[in-house]
Amino acid sequence: MKKIILAISILLLTACTNGNSALDKLKEDYPKTIKKEVEMLPENIQNEIAVPKRLPINVKNVSLDVQKNIGNDTINLTSINYRDGKGVIVEVTTYHQKNIEFSGEGQQLTTKLKDGTKVIIVRDDKDGSKIIRWKKDGLYHEIMLVKLTDIDQNYTIIDLVEIANSIYE
């Protein structure tokens, strides 16, 4: 009987601490720039933040931006900004307002994540920025990659889709 109770207790403790493990790892890796900011956010917002497990850049600096509604102080969006220190930035944004809708001008190109989620290609500049956006579990997410034009490394929409796929692994 004691073994059963111990096994159930361990299972419950594991389930309770499994909120957003990628975010926990990010807080651990960047305690000075991320941990304090994240821990100031409500738990439900922390659980919604999209955090990739893989990026196509060698990350040197990470920061978190939080945009609040001026009227009622609710959180509209969170953005995690990854920088390589050489001129490439990857920004992963989660829009926390479930009732928002994005509309584009004209016909937009699309692709899909591994699980079939439709991804809208918002921008795909040859030497500039690339942006994708998708909706999953009632929330919009966006990934933007921006690089200085004098950087030789080329990035594609496939790189952004791979970043998005790593969020759900």
Side-chain angles (χ1 to χ4, degrees):
M1 183 68 167
K2 288 182 182 179
K3 289 181 181 179
I4 294 172
I5 292 173
L6 179 63
I8 292 172
S9 297
I10 291 171
L11 183 64
L12 288 174
L13 283 173
T14 303
C16 291
T17 59
N18 240 2
N20 191 338
S21 61
L23 184 62
D24 291 338
K25 173 121 177 64
L26 193 64
K27 291 187 316 187
E28 186 179 301
D29 291 347
Y30 299 93
K32 293 182 180 178
T33 57
I34 292 292
K35 185 176 181 177
K36 184 177 177 182
E37 294 290 324
V38 168
E39 291 179 350
M40 292 174 54
L41 299 172
E43 192 170 323
N44 65 315
I45 297 294
Q46 291 182 43
N47 290 334
E48 293 175 348
I49 296 175
V51 182
K53 293 174 184 74
R54 287 186 314 280
L55 294 163
I57 64 172
N58 186 11
V59 178
K60 298 291 184 195
N61 182 314
V62 178
S63 63
L64 175 72
D65 293 327
V66 178
Q67 183 185 84
K68 293 183 177 183
N69 185 325
I70 295 172
N72 60 14
D73 220 28
T74 57
I75 295 173
N76 291 330
L77 64 86
T78 52
S79 292
I80 302 175
N81 303 292
Y82 302 88
R83 292 176 175 82
D84 71 350
K86 299 176 184 175
V88 180
I89 300 169
V90 175
E91 181 177 281
V92 181
T93 302
T94 301
Y95 295 86
H96 298 281
Q97 303 300 315
K98 293 191 178 201
N99 60 349
I100 65 169
E101 289 291 330
F102 288 102
S103 61
E105 312 241 341
Q107 188 175 4
Q108 295 180 323
L109 297 175
T110 62
T111 188
K112 290 186 178 183
L113 298 180
K114 282 183 188 175
D115 67 3
T117 301
K118 179 181 172 183
V119 173
I120 297 171
I121 301 169
V122 178
R123 181 177 301 143
D124 188 7
D125 295 343
K126 183 180 179 211
D127 292 325
S129 62
K130 298 180 181 318
I131 303 172
I132 61 171
R133 185 180 295 140
W134 70 98
K135 185 175 185 178
K136 187 166 175 111
D137 300 326
L139 296 172
Y140 278 98
H141 302 282
E142 181 176 276
I143 297 176
M144 176 175 63
L145 186 144
V146 179
K147 71 173 189 123
L148 296 175
T149 55
D150 61 344
I151 293 180
D152 291 336
Q153 176 68 38
N154 288 320
Y155 298 96
T156 67
I157 290 297
I158 293 170
D159 292 316
L160 275 67
V161 170
E162 288 176 3
I163 295 168
N165 280 323
S166 80
I167 292 168
Y168 303 108
E169 293 177 342

